[in-house]
Amino acid sequence: MRKFFDLLWTDIIKQKRSLVWPAAFLAPLITEALLFLDFYLRRDYILNRAAKEGLSAWQTLVLEHHLTALWFITLPMAVTVVCALLYHAEHASGGLRYTLSLPVGKGRLYLSKWCTGAIFLCLMLLLDALMLAAVGKIFRLPGGLDYQLIMRYIANQTVAAVGIMSLQMWLSAIAANVILPLAAGFIGITTSLFLAQDQNIARIIPYAHVLYTMPLPGENNRLALEGGIFFAAFFLVAGLLCFSKKDVTE
Amino acid sequence: MSELVVETQDLTKKYGNFTAVDGIDLQVRKGEIYGFLGPNGAGKSTTIRMLLGLVKPTRGDARIFGLSIRQSPMEILKRVGAIVESPSYYGNLTAVENLEITRRILGADKKEIDRVLEIVNLSQWKNKKVKNFSLGMKQRLAIAQALLGNRELLILDEPTNGLDPAGIHEIRQLIKNLPGMLGVTVLMSSHILSEVELTATSVGIISRGRLLFQGTLEELRRKSENEICIEAHPQDKALKFLESKGLKVKARGNRLFIKKNSLDAAALNRALVMEGFDVTHLSTEGKNLEDIFLEITGGDAI
Ligand SMILES: Nc1ncnc2c1ncn2[C@@H]1O[C@H](COP(=O)(O)OP(=O)(O)OP(=O)(O)O)[C@@H](O)[C@H]1O
Ligand SMILES: [Mg+2]
């Protein structure tokens, strides 16, 4: 176990000075900037409209963040980019050869990379939630900070996004060219925007699950949670098997 | 017979229909420097990738330290330092950070990093991003990485690739001294015969995926039996005459070549003259290793 943490630690220092950091942090930053603008321009209008629909101010903040500020697209995109970049460092200049000539093993390297991706995902969501709460505070939303709402929002998103991450990790690991997983992710995300309206279809598309993560009345969070867990496990196992069999020839 | 550190049986790798490595049986003894020699595309790197578990053999097995690479890769890799093909590194990290990855995974001492940087003369560049290194510097870093920790076997794929003449000399000297230090065994590949000649004690020659020769450098040299080269006129009659004496003669250009074995050149000359041939040239020629290498590999460029 200690050895696995050593490996995980090396996977994180491999990201020193890499583009993963800006990729992971820019996404929430941009989204929150959009959200800030949204509230700056029409705070009262938004809150009044939402009150008519029976939503609290904080619930409205989440709704605006998720849909108007486009987080439901930005998050999967950011996950796609982070996964691709994590493996790009390995494919670019013989990194896989470097690490796998050491007593690491393909399976353990894959797991370690998967965990690294999960760590970046959590960091990204945490940063986003902090900024989300900050925006709510700045605009003096009535009724104090709704911790429970934000916690549930983070939890739902984490589970749904891990499903996407698991899929993207697999694609990024086996494709020697970084364009491939990026293209697959972007196409998957954009097409799922149309298909995600139908819950039966959304259920089988990991990219669509983030849409169902708002902890608001009438939202089908179960779809996101069940889908996220299923796809996270499924693609982790598939990726692990696939990568362990893969010849390192680059 | 001394202990075998590397032993492969029928090791084979196919990519689709193409056989990159074709049933080779390597034998590397403890404490020796084994030169793995072959022209470009012969299958050296593919063999090395199989030894390191990077590529799964299609058939056959490799045993290192008596352990099967299929069954106990981790135990083996702990004790093996390696360079595979062009230097591999993480470009966004410095030399020290790259080595720190190796050190962490091996659980080696912190001091090891400075020690190996010193050996390959990279100490002054240790905090520079490897992306900005020259090819030779990257190669040195790769060697440093392979030396870090107490490795018992070094598998070096073209270790002097990209180095300047001084660097080549330096690294060759280092490799030569390795078995003396801690009894390290070295398996190094090269496509340069003279390099193997200068450093190795044993040789394996591979071409088109097949191992064509394996033995000590001495055994290889012994293959360089001399030939007798004769210019006699008329040539075709001389050829027939010599063949009638039970000799194997090859005509190349206007000269005849005969394997020397225990043949006496003077007696041969006398016999030809007595028979009425005009002998205008007679010499004995030794083949150098280059010739033998070309002969063994069927004339593939080195
Ligand atoms: N991934 C692959 N797919 C298909 N063929 C491959 C692959 N890797 C290597 N080969 C082929 O296998 C053969 C042996 O390649 P290898 O890299 O082992 O040669 P080498 O002896 O190391 O040559 P060099 O001296 O140029 O480094 C080559 O013909 C090469 O084209
Ligand atoms: Mg090679």
Side-chain angles (χ1 to χ4, degrees):
Chain A
M1 206 56 200
R2 223 209 101 215
K3 284 200 143 173
F4 184 75
F5 283 116
D6 278 335
L7 179 61
L8 188 58
W9 185 87
T10 68
D11 259 323
I12 289 169
I13 57 162
K14 278 176 196 171
Q15 305 314 320
K16 252 192 189 179
R17 294 181 280 271
S18 103
L19 286 173
V20 172
W21 298 97
F25 290 151
L26 229 55
L29 223 66
I30 291 171
T31 306
E32 296 306 328
L34 283 175
L35 182 67
F36 183 89
L37 212 63
D38 185 30
F39 268 72
Y40 179 74
L41 295 175
R42 37 177 223 163
R43 173 187 184 274
D44 295 336
Y45 165 73
I46 296 168
L47 291 181
N48 285 336
R49 189 194 58 188
K52 279 186 202 135
E53 286 166 26
L55 291 178
S56 78
W58 287 93
Q59 286 176 324
T60 312
L61 184 73
V62 167
L63 183 73
E64 287 294 306
H65 169 262
H66 208 70
L67 301 180
T68 311
L70 297 178
W71 184 239
F72 74 107
I73 301 176
T74 313
L75 175 62
M77 293 268 189
V79 169
T80 301
V81 171
V82 166
C83 293
L85 285 175
L86 286 180
Y87 270 101
H88 180 60
E90 299 290 341
H91 294 308
S93 38
L96 277 186
R97 255 184 285 145
Y98 188 103
T99 301
L100 291 176
S101 304
L102 294 165
V104 169
K106 291 174 188 163
R108 277 177 64 231
L109 180 70
Y110 190 85
L111 272 181
S112 170
K113 274 272 179 293
W114 198 93
C115 293
T116 309
I119 289 171
F120 274 99
L121 174 63
C122 290
L123 280 178
M124 185 157 70
L125 288 173
L126 202 68
L127 182 73
D128 183 63
L130 286 176
M131 288 195 291
L132 181 68
V135 172
K137 280 285 173 200
I138 290 169
F139 288 101
R140 301 180 188 287
L141 295 189
L145 176 55
D146 192 342
Y147 286 104
Q148 215 190 347
L149 179 81
I150 298 215
M151 295 300 251
R152 273 183 56 206
Y153 186 39
I154 296 186
N156 290 351
Q157 289 187 89
T158 308
V159 174
V162 163
I164 303 175
M165 188 205 82
S166 207
L167 168 58
Q168 287 302 130
M169 272 292 168
W170 178 30
L171 295 177
S172 305
I174 56 172
N177 191 329
V178 68
I179 301 293
L180 221 93
L182 285 176
F186 291 164
I187 292 169
I189 293 162
T190 41
T191 48
S192 75
L193 293 184
F194 298 102
L195 302 172
Q197 313 298 331
D198 184 324
Q199 294 201 4
N200 285 322
I201 299 179
R203 208 175 284 282
I204 55 168
I205 304 177
Y207 300 111
H209 293 160
V210 171
L211 196 59
Y212 293 90
T213 53
M214 287 179 291
L216 303 180
E219 286 293 321
N220 188 357
N221 289 167
R222 271 191 69 155
L223 187 155
L225 293 174
E226 286 170 1
I229 291 169
F230 172 76
F231 283 113
F234 177 78
F235 287 118
L236 173 61
V237 173
L240 205 56
L241 291 177
C242 209
F243 189 72
S244 303
K245 284 215 180 73
K246 182 181 133 84
D247 279 345
V248 180
T249 55
E250 63 257 16
Chain B
M1 194 176 81
S2 51
E3 186 190 333
L4 289 178
V5 175
V6 180
E7 190 182 16
T8 72
Q9 285 123 14
D10 193 27
L11 195 63
T12 302
K13 180 68 192 180
K14 290 187 180 170
Y15 290 112
N17 279 331
F18 178 76
T19 309
V21 175
D22 194 357
I24 70 171
D25 302 306
L26 288 184
Q27 295 192 333
V28 181
R29 284 176 186 77
K30 192 171 165 60
E32 74 180 0
I33 299 176
Y34 185 101
F36 192 33
L37 189 61
N40 292 134
K44 304 181 294 292
S45 300
T46 306
T47 305
I48 285 175
R49 281 173 192 272
M50 285 193 279
L51 293 178
L52 296 168
L54 295 172
V55 161
K56 267 213 175 65
T58 310
R59 201 175 64 227
D61 193 12
R63 301 183 78 79
I64 299 182
F65 311 120
L67 301 165
S68 160
I69 189 74
R70 287 180 190 273
Q71 275 142 34
S72 7
M74 293 306 113
E75 279 84 313
I76 293 170
L77 289 178
K78 254 182 245 166
R79 301 157 66 186
V80 177
I83 304 178
V84 189
E85 234 148 351
S86 57
S88 46
Y89 54 88
Y90 295 96
N92 52 321
L93 303 182
T94 65
V96 171
E97 287 160 352
N98 269 280
L99 293 172
E100 178 65 16
I101 292 175
T102 303
R103 192 196 70 79
R104 268 277 172 148
I105 290 172
L106 290 173
D109 197 279
K110 279 256 185 221
K111 277 183 247 148
E112 280 294 289
I113 292 181
D114 283 329
R115 180 184 74 94
V116 294
L117 280 171
E118 198 62 44
I119 293 177
V120 298
N121 272 331
L122 272 187
S123 299
Q124 62 187 119
W125 308 110
K126 66 181 186 180
N127 292 320
K128 191 172 157 164
K129 267 192 275 179
V130 176
K131 192 164 32 182
N132 302 330
F133 273 17
S134 72
L135 174 63
M137 286 158 77
K138 287 171 183 164
Q139 187 70 22
R140 284 164 193 264
L141 178 66
I143 294 168
Q145 190 271 134
L147 294 173
L148 199 149
N150 294 320
R151 321 287 189 95
E152 294 161 57
L153 169 66
L154 295 181
I155 299 182
L156 309 175
D157 195 3
E158 310 204 14
T160 55
N161 195 14
L163 296 182
D164 52 33
I168 291 177
H169 181 74
E170 194 183 303
I171 296 303
R172 278 184 193 157
Q173 220 49 43
L174 171 71
I175 292 173
K176 270 175 111 160
N177 292 335
L178 281 170
M181 296 154 51
L182 310 157
V184 180
T185 307
V186 181
L187 166 60
M188 61 174 268
S189 84
S190 175
H191 57 275
I192 307 164
L193 177 72
S194 59
E195 172 158 279
V196 169
E197 214 178 336
L198 286 170
T199 43
T201 46
S202 288
V203 200
I205 295 180
I206 184 175
S207 176
R208 294 164 205 247
R210 291 175 165 275
L211 192 65
L212 301 174
F213 172 86
Q214 180 166 239
T216 63
L217 213 52
E218 267 318 299
E219 281 165 338
L220 185 63
R221 285 213 182 86
R222 230 173 287 146
K223 284 203 146 209
S224 63
E225 317 142 285
N226 294 331
E227 279 182 328
I228 298 176
C229 167
I230 299 169
E231 234 178 281
H233 305 279
Q235 194 186 6
D236 47 344
K237 285 201 176 133
L239 177 81
K240 286 213 181 82
F241 168 70
L242 290 170
E243 277 178 343
S244 72
K245 299 276 178 202
L247 298 170
K248 284 195 87 176
V249 188
K250 268 191 228 150
R252 263 179 259 152
N254 56 353
R255 292 184 168 182
L256 300 173
F257 293 86
I258 308 163
K259 282 245 180 318
K260 190 166 180 243
N261 297 328
S262 55
L263 216 58
D264 181 357
L268 198 66
N269 187 27
R270 201 177 316 124
L272 282 167
V273 173
M274 300 274 274
E275 204 62 24
F277 293 105
D278 292 334
V279 178
T280 54
H281 175 101
L282 190 145
S283 62
T284 58
E285 299 197 337
K287 282 187 291 183
N288 60 25
L289 276 182
E290 200 98 347
D291 297 330
I292 304 168
F293 179 78
L294 285 173
E295 201 174 290
I296 289 176
T297 57
D300 282 349
I302 329 179

